Amino acid sequence: MEAPLPEAALSRKRFSLYEQVMSNPAQLLWLMTILLVAGMIIIPTAYLAYEAMFSGESISLAPAINALTTSRARESIVNTVIYVVGVTLISLCVGVPLAFLVERTDISPLAKAAVRLTVLVSVITPPFLLTMAYVTLLGPNAGFINVALRKLLGLRGFRGPFNVYSLPGVLLLGSPRSIAMTYLMAAAAFERLPPELEEVAAITGASRARVLRTVTLPLIRNAIFGAALVSVSTALAAYGSPHMLGYSILTLRIREAMVRGNFPEAASISVVLTLVSLVVLLLYRRSISKGSFATVTGRGYRPGLFTTGRAKYILGFAAILYGLLAAVLPIGTLLLVSFFRTMGYGFTAGNWTVANYLYVFRDRFAINAFRNSILLSMGAATISVLLTIVIGYITVRQRTRTSSMIDYISVIPLGISGTALAVALIMTFTNQPFRNLQLYGTLTILLVCYVIRFYPVALRPVQTSMMQISSDLEEAGRSAGATWGGVTRTITFPLVKSGLTAGWILVYLQSLTELSASIILRHIGTDTISTAIMDVWDGGGGYQAACAMAILSMLMVAVIMGIGVVVLGKSFMKVVGSGGC
Amino acid sequence: MTKKLQLLEITKRFGSFTAVNDVSLEIGEGEFVSLLGPSGCGKTTTLRLIAGFEKPDAGEILLDGAPISSSSFVLPPERRAMGMVFQTYAVWPHMTVYDNVAYGLRLRKVPQTEIKERVAKIFQTVGLVGQEAKYPSQLSGGQQQRVALARALVYEPEVLLLDEPLSNLDAKLREAMRFEMRRILERTGITVVYVTHNQEEALVLSDRVAVMKDGKIVEESHPETLYAAPKTKFVADFIGLANFMEGTAEAVEDGFLIVRCPWGKVKCVNSQLNRVGDRVTVLIRPEVISLLPASENDSGRDVNCFAGVIKEASFTGSIVEYFVGVGSDENGTTMRVQSPAPRMFSASDRVCVSFEAKSARVVV
């Protein structure tokens, strides 16, 4: 016979998942965030893999293997390897010595400032704009420098001496952003390195070269390795600059397959590219989690152990030369060309006009592109910040295994190339069930893409600012007599404000000049600034109009940067610097 | 004692800030000299000038009589035959303990077998045997400190520079290392310049202490002299605890000075050779003062004997700390007194504060 249940047991009845979740709304938010963050990566990747492996009725690797073994694909693979290795080597050979010069030697403050500024410019300037500038300068026939040199040296013929459409040209123009990021990582490592470690080696009797070899370099080895991986990852995902120079790497091959309508080929190459990128990302995460040896010390001043002596001016000049080549020359060229009447007349009196800007302001295609980019960037920035607030809260405040998983997933987009993500999104939104949303060809698909690509960029500043507010700070406010609302308003919000603003601006900056994904996702009426510049450059309006658009977009970037600096002070520059990595 | 190291009118500026101001100091062969002072007094900069990390703006530094630093020439640190221990130890994290210590010997092209012997020997001296293969991150702070010391000593430098080497250790270990370091360094007979802000450390370790303030050496003497007979109020206050009484000299008698203070007369050693009418500051160390019950003060003594009230009495182990209010409310002072335990008085007891004339002296 069944005994009647005691009342206590009744109240201990099992709750269904639904009831459990509903009883704690925060948990619901948490669950949704995990699903969203994971879904944003897993769903498009799954569609991509499906497209790559599904041929007619069966699932196999055959289509992928076929797509990757054509002679043209093989050529692209070889090109990509050359490009990645070349760009990475250039970045290390330029970025690390520059960081050493600035952080560890006594070259002039002017040269140091020039390097720091150039690095910042390189981080925020889309590589394809720099390439545009150098094509007008070093194009084999009409490049201004080539024309001038031929006249100056009395060379015959109509070509050379320089040719930007060459392997050195491709590699050098692919490098500015990687150099800047390598510089930033190496400089941070040098900065963290306590000078005593070098000083004690010197007083023990080691020469400067020996100190460098046995102490300095071994101690920043991890950072250099990390920087190399970031360069590899950036180079793998590069699109704009190689596109302009016609150097067929895998991202170009993907785009070309999409244009031809060969979706399986595009998907196959995208899958391979993504897998390689993820391996690089994994290695990078491991290299940084191993951490650097160095610890931060509270020393106020930084003694220059490495005095440069007579080489001071040569090294200072080298640093300034970097600034000239990576920033002043290309941007100056874009600016001047944007006021040219006719390209052929070059820098001559009477060849100046504002007509190119008027053209841009009157052209409906251009105006529409600017409008689209601004809307998309603001939308992507706002959504990303909202998302990162939740992720930040989960990962910073609730240290559980799930939160570290979210932490991990949310860096994956940084490793995936825009090209591959765009292809994956097209696969997703042209197949069931997402096809019903009818996003293909709309601005919304671009927005989705920007959010997925760039929210991790906002995550770091938001997380950092959230880490500042240990619960003690809030509790101290409460015990001092403030209400929950008061604490939020006077303590919590002021502390996270700068992080949120920095995150918003970073996403906005990245979105504004996004090219590699946009060029695949754009459709009639959904061009963005970058794709419009490319079209105008490729013939829809000429070099001058493209340069005018480039200058306008860089002005917009500069204005936003200016706002960031005004609102957040100097620390914003640091955030921008680290945000690119 | 032959002069090992000479600092001649050294000045070092950082921008508009003068870190070291016209400092002169001579250090003998085998001598242990401490630079003692509060943070920002220029002691570390002085040490870095000796090491060759900074270039003086004026003055000269001589090693064995030969110039090694001046405003026009700085012999690089690696050619000075010195060793240095940093406050942060600066033990190279990417090398094993053995490699850290062997570094200087390898630089000097010492044969492999000899390196092994010498490293083993120094490990025995500093007490690190068995730690050779470890990385610094596996060591405690105290052990890292020993590695730093061994690394600086192993190649037998002529001068050892120590920059607050014990300040990152916890109190107990700091004290143990203090004695251990003296033992190790005495054995080597090396010339040592030691920078610290910890007065006890300086007193325990040094043959001579130079007290610095605002980039200048205020006083320089043997530890005992510096404690017992400081010339300046700054040194008296910085080394040990001090009571100061200000007043006007009323009479000079027999090497002693009678000073009139608002709450009574003080008789003290006329250490600054003051004359009648001078305003002077008298130093009285807390441990030379004795407290008597107020009722016993009927003998009519009016010199070095003040009526006071116990404000606070705290038991700290071997001694009892008293804060005694003397004089009237508007014109009085609080004196610090240390008496051997047990506690004889408690708060608000009336007492008589007295001390001997020979244990009080005038400082400037």
Side-chain angles (χ1 to χ4, degrees):
Chain A
M1 194 184 88
E2 262 181 57
L5 283 166
E7 252 181 272
L10 271 176
S11 69
R12 228 186 287 133
K13 83 176 179 91
R14 285 243 210 98
F15 290 102
S16 68
L17 181 68
Y18 173 78
E19 279 168 311
Q20 273 184 41
V21 169
M22 289 317 285
S23 69
N24 186 352
Q27 226 167 3
L28 182 69
L29 191 66
W30 192 52
L31 196 70
M32 280 169 55
T33 310
I34 297 174
L35 290 178
L36 184 65
V37 170
M40 284 194 317
I41 284 303
I42 293 167
I43 295 171
T45 321
Y47 275 100
L48 193 66
Y50 174 81
E51 185 72 38
M53 293 190 292
F54 188 75
S55 59
E57 288 102 37
S58 64
I59 286 179
S60 75
L61 288 173
I65 291 168
N66 286 340
L68 286 164
T69 47
T70 63
S71 63
R72 288 172 58 166
R74 276 209 302 271
E75 185 204 335
S76 294
I77 291 171
V78 171
N79 283 352
T80 305
V81 171
I82 294 172
Y83 186 79
V84 166
V85 172
V87 166
T88 303
L89 285 180
I90 292 172
S91 303
L92 290 181
C93 293
V94 179
V96 177
L98 275 179
F100 180 77
L101 278 183
V102 171
E103 292 294 333
R104 275 295 192 264
T105 70
D106 57 350
I107 61 167
S108 83
L110 186 76
K112 291 186 180 185
V115 171
R116 292 205 177 101
L117 198 65
T118 307
V119 163
L120 201 63
V121 168
S122 297
V123 168
I124 59 171
T125 310
F128 77 94
L129 292 186
L130 297 181
T131 306
M132 250 166 74
Y134 271 102
V135 167
T136 66
L137 287 173
L138 296 175
N141 304 321
F144 295 124
I145 291 181
N146 279 331
V147 172
L149 279 177
R150 285 200 296 263
K151 211 178 267 176
L152 208 67
L153 304 174
L155 297 174
R156 297 230 190 135
F158 298 99
R159 290 180 66 85
F162 292 113
N163 183 2
V164 73
Y165 299 98
S166 61
L167 187 60
V170 167
L171 295 182
L172 284 170
L173 285 172
S175 300
R177 199 173 249 183
S178 296
I179 290 174
M181 296 209 265
T182 305
Y183 168 90
L184 287 168
M185 293 180 73
F190 280 125
E191 214 182 352
R192 279 197 306 267
L193 188 67
E196 297 98 284
L197 292 176
E198 294 166 332
E199 285 171 357
V200 78
I203 199 143
T204 306
S207 64
R208 291 297 177 278
R210 183 117 181 194
V211 173
L212 200 59
R213 189 166 55 79
T214 57
V215 177
T216 315
L217 287 178
L219 282 171
I220 66 156
R221 198 182 49 205
N222 266 346
I224 294 177
F225 183 62
L229 290 172
V230 169
S231 276
V232 167
S233 171
T234 316
L236 275 173
Y239 182 85
S241 177
H243 169 103
M244 301 197 83
L245 298 175
Y247 188 73
S248 175
I249 56 174
L250 285 172
T251 49
L252 264 78
R253 176 74 44 222
I254 295 170
R255 159 104 200 287
E256 191 232 20
M258 288 300 282
V259 172
R260 275 189 284 119
N262 189 341
F263 284 14
E265 187 185 337
S268 302
I269 304 174
S270 296
V271 166
V272 173
L273 194 60
T274 305
L275 285 177
V276 176
S277 306
L278 286 180
V279 170
V280 174
L281 187 74
L282 207 72
L283 285 174
Y284 175 70
R285 289 286 289 192
R286 275 188 51 180
S287 86
I288 57 168
S289 71
K290 250 198 286 176
S292 59
F293 293 116
T295 48
V296 184
T297 53
R299 272 284 164 84
Y301 63 96
R302 193 157 298 280
L305 179 61
F306 295 93
T307 47
T308 46
R310 257 169 279 162
K312 189 171 174 174
Y313 296 101
I314 299 167
L315 293 170
F317 176 73
I320 287 174
L321 187 68
Y322 160 70
L324 287 177
L325 290 178
V328 178
L329 187 62
I331 293 171
T333 304
L334 291 178
L335 186 65
L336 291 177
V337 171
S338 74
F339 289 106
F340 274 6
R341 209 180 280 279
T342 315
M343 279 304 278
Y345 290 156
F347 304 90
T348 51
N351 193 27
W352 308 100
T353 177
V354 292
N356 304 316
Y357 287 91
L358 295 179
Y359 168 83
V360 174
F361 290 132
R362 287 193 199 119
D363 186 57
R364 284 183 55 191
F365 171 71
I367 292 289
N368 190 43
F370 273 92
R371 193 189 62 106
N372 286 344
S373 275
I374 292 170
L375 282 178
L376 283 170
S377 306
M378 289 174 67
T382 308
I383 295 172
S384 297
V385 166
L386 291 176
L387 187 61
T388 49
I389 290 174
V390 182
I391 299 175
Y393 187 81
I394 293 172
T395 51
V396 173
R397 280 300 176 81
Q398 307 184 325
R399 282 255 153 245
T400 62
R401 204 186 301 163
T402 3
S403 72
S404 67
M405 203 176 73
I406 292 186
D407 215 13
Y408 209 86
I409 295 173
S410 55
V411 296
I412 291 179
L414 291 175
I416 295 179
S417 75
T419 313
L421 181 64
V423 172
L425 286 175
I426 287 179
M427 303 309 163
T428 308
F429 289 109
T430 52
N431 282 302
Q432 293 299 354
F434 295 100
R435 187 186 185 148
N436 295 332
L437 293 172
Q438 298 192 331
L439 290 185
Y440 181 65
T442 65
L443 277 181
T444 314
I445 196 170
L446 282 156
L447 182 67
V448 170
C449 178
Y450 288 6
V451 170
I452 297 178
R453 273 199 85 186
F454 298 134
Y455 85 86
V457 172
L459 190 57
R460 194 165 336 162
V462 172
Q463 266 179 331
T464 311
S465 67
M466 283 190 163
M467 267 178 231
Q468 283 179 8
I469 30 171
S470 65
S471 47
D472 315 1
L473 292 178
E474 292 171 337
E475 281 158 13
R478 291 300 289 277
S479 65
T483 59
W484 182 84
V487 166
T488 307
R489 190 168 46 78
T490 57
I491 297 170
T492 315
F493 184 68
L495 282 170
V496 296
K497 189 177 61 184
S498 63
L500 301 186
T501 315
W504 196 93
I505 292 177
L506 284 176
V507 175
Y508 185 90
L509 286 177
Q510 298 263 0
S511 306
L512 201 62
T513 53
E514 207 289 334
L515 173 70
S516 59
S518 311
I519 204 162
I520 288 174
L521 292 172
R522 58 106 178 248
H523 212 258
I524 297 152
T526 66
D527 267 290
T528 65
I529 296 178
S530 303
T531 65
I533 292 175
M534 282 295 221
D535 282 359
V536 171
W537 175 264
D538 285 341
Y543 284 11
Q544 301 99 301
C547 287
M549 290 175 75
I551 290 297
L552 286 173
S553 73
M554 290 179 69
L555 267 180
M556 290 168 63
V557 168
V559 167
I560 289 292
M561 289 286 293
I563 293 173
V565 173
V566 169
V567 174
L568 301 172
K570 260 191 160 173
S571 64
F572 176 65
M573 292 298 190
K574 264 209 164 115
V575 178
V576 172
S578 63
C581 302
Chain B
M1 211 185 300
T2 51
K3 289 167 193 163
K4 186 74 196 169
L5 201 57
Q6 288 162 278
L7 278 68
L8 308 173
E9 295 163 2
I10 289 288
T11 295
K12 174 68 189 175
R13 291 181 210 97
F14 294 108
S16 61
F17 173 69
T18 306
V20 176
N21 193 354
D22 198 22
V23 161
S24 295
L25 185 67
E26 289 191 349
I27 297 164
E29 178 96 56
E31 200 182 6
F32 192 125
V33 172
S34 288
L35 300 175
L36 175 67
S39 58
C41 72
K43 55 191 191 300
T44 295
T45 307
T46 307
L47 195 76
R48 294 175 60 81
L49 282 159
I50 298 173
F53 292 128
E54 309 285 354
K55 184 178 185 175
D57 291 309
E60 223 179 356
I61 300 175
L62 311 181
L63 180 69
D64 293 325
I68 51 169
S69 280
S70 69
S71 60
S72 58
F73 165 77
V74 174
L75 186 73
E78 64 268 26
R79 290 172 49 198
R80 297 193 167 205
M82 294 183 181
M84 188 157 174
V85 177
F86 286 80
Q87 184 173 8
T88 54
Y89 316 138
V91 177
W92 297 304
H94 61 301
M95 295 182 197
T96 61
V97 169
Y98 181 89
D99 289 337
N100 260 284
V101 176
Y103 190 87
L105 294 174
R106 289 188 182 134
L107 280 171
R108 285 165 181 73
K109 307 256 172 1
V110 175
Q112 202 61 44
T113 49
E114 197 189 327
I115 292 181
K116 265 191 190 145
E117 282 166 29
R118 285 171 72 172
V119 173
K121 204 172 135 216
I122 198 84
F123 272 27
Q124 223 146 36
T125 312
V126 302
L128 272 175
V129 177
Q131 313 291 332
E132 292 85 348
K134 287 190 178 164
Y135 278 91
S137 56
Q138 297 166 278
L139 300 184
S140 68
Q143 287 172 318
Q144 289 189 29
Q145 208 273 338
R146 286 158 204 253
V147 175
L149 191 60
R151 182 178 61 185
L153 285 173
V154 73
Y155 55 90
E156 293 167 3
E158 295 177 25
V159 178
L160 181 64
L161 308 175
L162 300 153
D163 184 5
E164 306 251 9
L166 302 180
S167 67
N168 280 356
L169 302 177
D170 65 67
K172 200 113 193 177
L173 191 58
R174 186 161 59 220
E175 206 182 334
M177 280 304 289
R178 197 183 287 163
F179 292 108
E180 195 161 330
M181 198 141 81
R182 192 172 69 173
R183 179 181 60 77
I184 294 165
L185 293 176
E186 259 167 15
R187 206 181 296 173
T188 58
I190 190 176
T191 307
V192 181
V193 185
Y194 189 97
V195 159
T196 182
H197 66 266
N198 183 313
Q199 38 131 343
E200 268 180 68
E201 243 166 72
L203 297 182
V204 167
L205 289 165
S206 326
D207 298 322
R208 204 145 49 89
V209 178
V211 183
M212 291 187 73
K213 182 197 177 191
D214 299 334
K216 283 182 175 283
I217 293 180
V218 188
E219 261 183 77
E220 163 201 343
S221 197
H222 298 281
E224 285 90 347
T225 320
L226 220 47
Y227 182 83
K231 291 191 184 75
T232 59
K233 190 176 171 185
F234 177 77
V235 171
D237 202 23
F238 196 77
I239 299 180
L241 296 167
N243 291 300
F244 297 108
M245 295 203 159
E246 287 179 20
T248 314
E250 218 175 45
V252 183
E253 43 181 68
D254 220 13
F256 288 96
L257 198 65
I258 308 287
V259 179
R260 166 157 293 283
C261 296
W263 47 85
K265 284 184 188 172
V266 177
K267 187 178 180 187
C268 64
V269 177
N270 188 8
S271 46
Q272 302 290 332
L273 302 179
N274 285 99
R275 294 185 198 149
V276 172
D278 287 352
R279 288 290 295 171
V280 295
T281 303
V282 180
L283 160 72
I284 307 147
R285 295 275 185 206
E287 69 272 14
V288 304
I289 299 172
S290 25
L291 297 178
L292 299 167
S295 53
E296 288 174 30
N297 184 30
D298 299 331
S299 55
R301 267 176 70 192
D302 66 336
V303 174
N304 288 0
C305 187
F306 317 120
V309 179
I310 303 282
K311 286 185 169 171
E312 226 179 289
S314 8
F315 172 70
T316 64
S318 56
I319 56 162
V320 184
E321 294 251 18
Y322 295 103
F323 287 88
V324 186
V326 295
S328 59
D329 280 346
E330 63 272 17
N331 217 348
T333 187
T334 300
M335 293 185 76
R336 197 165 175 174
V337 179
Q338 290 184 335
S339 305
R343 184 161 64 179
M344 306 289 287
F345 304 99
S346 43
S348 75
D349 282 358
R350 305 204 140 269
V351 292
C352 168
V353 176
S354 72
F355 51 89
E356 286 183 59
K358 66 173 165 43
S359 46
R361 57 193 297 114
V362 177
V363 291
V364 289

